[in-house]
Amino acid sequence: SPRIALLLYRKHVITNQRYIQDLIQYFESEGFIPVPVFINGVEAHTIVRDWLTSTHEIEGVSTGTIVRDSTYKSNEATCVDAIVS
């Protein structure tokens, strides 16, 4: 099943915003595997850049067709098929 990273604001999680549970349940009901990622907001770009990856990106980096910063660690990153913010 496709894995989808869900970027969720930490503040919304702490305050029990209903949409979070609804969103996760919706993706599960459609056959996706949601991967919740809790962010404070300003670091969202670093999460996407350094901690999320895709099969396409891993292959591109290994063949040299994609060049990444030294912060990228494909062996530590979570492989996803899509990102929802």
Side-chain angles (χ1 to χ4, degrees), residues 11-68:
K11 181 178 181 179
H12 293 179
V13 174
I14 291 171
T15 58
N16 295 318
Q17 298 295 313
R18 176 70 192 176
Y19 82 91
I20 294 171
Q21 184 177 355
D22 293 342
L23 188 62
I24 291 170
Q25 288 176 343
Y26 171 77
F27 281 118
E28 288 175 333
S29 73
E30 293 295 317
F32 297 102
I33 300 171
V35 180
V37 179
F38 306 104
I39 60 173
N40 284 325
V42 295
E43 82 276 359
H45 73 284
T46 60
I47 297 296
V48 171
R49 182 190 69 209
D50 298 339
W51 295 106
L52 298 173
T53 192
S54 66
T55 303
H56 171 76
E57 186 172 49
I58 292 169
E59 291 171 1
V61 169
S62 69
T63 62
T65 57
I66 297 175
V67 178
R68 293 296 317 265

Side-chain angles (χ1 to χ4, degrees), residues 2-6 32-33 35 52-54 79-84:
R3 294 167 53 101
I4 298 178
L6 303 176
F32 297 102
I33 300 171
V35 180
L52 298 173
T53 192
S54 66
C79 190
V80 296
D81 299 290
I83 300 169
V84 174

